[in-house]
């Protein structure tokens, strides 16, 4: 059996507004372009809406709703899919944190992942995560290249194999 190869690129604009009491609200609007081997390129819009706050000195919580248009590879039929994401982060010390991510994709069971994050310096970040069902390992490295944030994320899944993601983020104007 041949595996279907796909490459995706996302381009979006992020808008964030800080409110009182350390509450941030934001939105990301963009377009995802997917190229499937043997098939044509598809462009689909997506939107993320979220809120993030601190529940104390060491605990941060966030909630997001993602709406994304999905397409079927072999046909032109498209549908809108919604994903609800929630995350809690406990800062153990200034350079280490424990995280719990929960997501519910429309028409699929709820999934969760436990993560450990480590930031030994301002320019470097490492995160390792594991989800038992479906079994999923995730490793993420990011670092600053001047004013830009570059990231590399690799994940291992028993059914899909190795997935890799490279990202480059432009600086924000705060």
């Amino acid at each position: 059996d041949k595996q279907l190869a796909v490459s995706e690129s996302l381009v979006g604009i992020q808008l964030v507004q800080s409110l009182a009491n350390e509450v941030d609200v934001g939105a990301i609007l963009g377009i995802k372009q997917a190229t499937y081997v043997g098939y044509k390129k598809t462009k689909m819009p997506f939107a993320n809406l979220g809120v993030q706050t601190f529940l104390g000195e060491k605990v941060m919580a966030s909630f997001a709703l993602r709406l994304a248009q999905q397409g079927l590879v072999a046909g032109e039929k498209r549908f809108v899919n919604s994903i609800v994401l929630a995350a809690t982060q406990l800062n153990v010390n200034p350079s280490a944190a424990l995280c719990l991510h929960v997501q519910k994709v429309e028409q699929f069971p709820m999934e969760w992942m436990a993560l450990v994050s480590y930031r030994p310096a301002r320019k470097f970040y490492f995160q390792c995560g594991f989800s038992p069902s479906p079994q999923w390992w995730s490793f993420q490295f990011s670092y600053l290249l001047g004013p830009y944030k570059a990231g590399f994320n690799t994940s291992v899944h028993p059914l899909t194999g190795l997935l890799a993601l490279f990202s480059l983020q432009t600086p924000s104007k705060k």
Side-chain angles (χ1 to χ4, degrees), residues 127-139:
Q127 187 174 58
C128 175
F130 175 71
S131 174
S133 179
Q135 191 176 36
W136 186 267
W137 284 95
S138 174
F139 304 96

Side-chain angles (χ1 to χ4, degrees), residues 73-120:
V73 177
E76 292 296 320
K77 185 174 181 179
R78 294 188 179 191
F79 57 94
V80 175
N81 197 7
S82 64
I83 303 170
V84 177
L85 304 159
T88 303
Q89 177 174 310
L90 172 64
N91 296 322
V92 178
N93 62 42
S95 60
L98 302 173
C99 310
L100 177 65
H101 290 199
V102 178
Q103 82 172 16
K104 173 68 172 102
V105 179
E106 194 176 344
Q107 301 164 352
F108 288 96
M110 187 172 66
E111 300 175 10
W112 64 274
M113 179 177 273
L115 301 113
V116 176
S117 301
Y118 181 61
R119 184 183 307 270

Side-chain angles (χ1 to χ4, degrees), residues 8-132:
E8 293 182 348
S9 59
L10 295 142
V11 176
I13 184 165
Q14 179 176 350
L15 308 166
V16 178
Q17 178 65 46
S18 294
L19 305 176
N21 300 326
E22 296 189 26
V23 175
D24 295 329
V25 295
I28 301 174
L29 304 171
I31 294 179
K32 173 178 84 169
Q33 178 175 305
T35 304
Y36 300 95
V37 173
Y39 298 95
K40 64 181 182 175
K41 293 181 182 179
T42 59
K43 291 183 181 179
M44 296 168 273
F46 71 90
N48 289 358
L49 307 169
V51 63
Q52 174 178 300
T53 188
F54 282 90
L55 302 175
E57 280 187 33
K58 296 187 174 215
V59 179
M60 181 181 69
S62 60
F63 174 81
L65 173 65
R66 179 181 180 135
L67 300 172
Q69 190 177 55
Q70 304 292 323
L72 300 176
V73 177
E76 292 296 320
K77 185 174 181 179
R78 294 188 179 191
F79 57 94
V80 175
N81 197 7
S82 64
I83 303 170
V84 177
L85 304 159
T88 303
Q89 177 174 310
L90 172 64
N91 296 322
V92 178
N93 62 42
S95 60
L98 302 173
C99 310
L100 177 65
H101 290 199
V102 178
Q103 82 172 16
K104 173 68 172 102
V105 179
E106 194 176 344
Q107 301 164 352
F108 288 96
M110 187 172 66
E111 300 175 10
W112 64 274
M113 179 177 273
L115 301 113
V116 176
S117 301
Y118 181 61
R119 184 183 307 270
R122 189 181 81 77
K123 291 188 171 193
F124 179 74
Y125 175 79
F126 171 75
Q127 187 174 58
C128 175
F130 175 71
S131 174

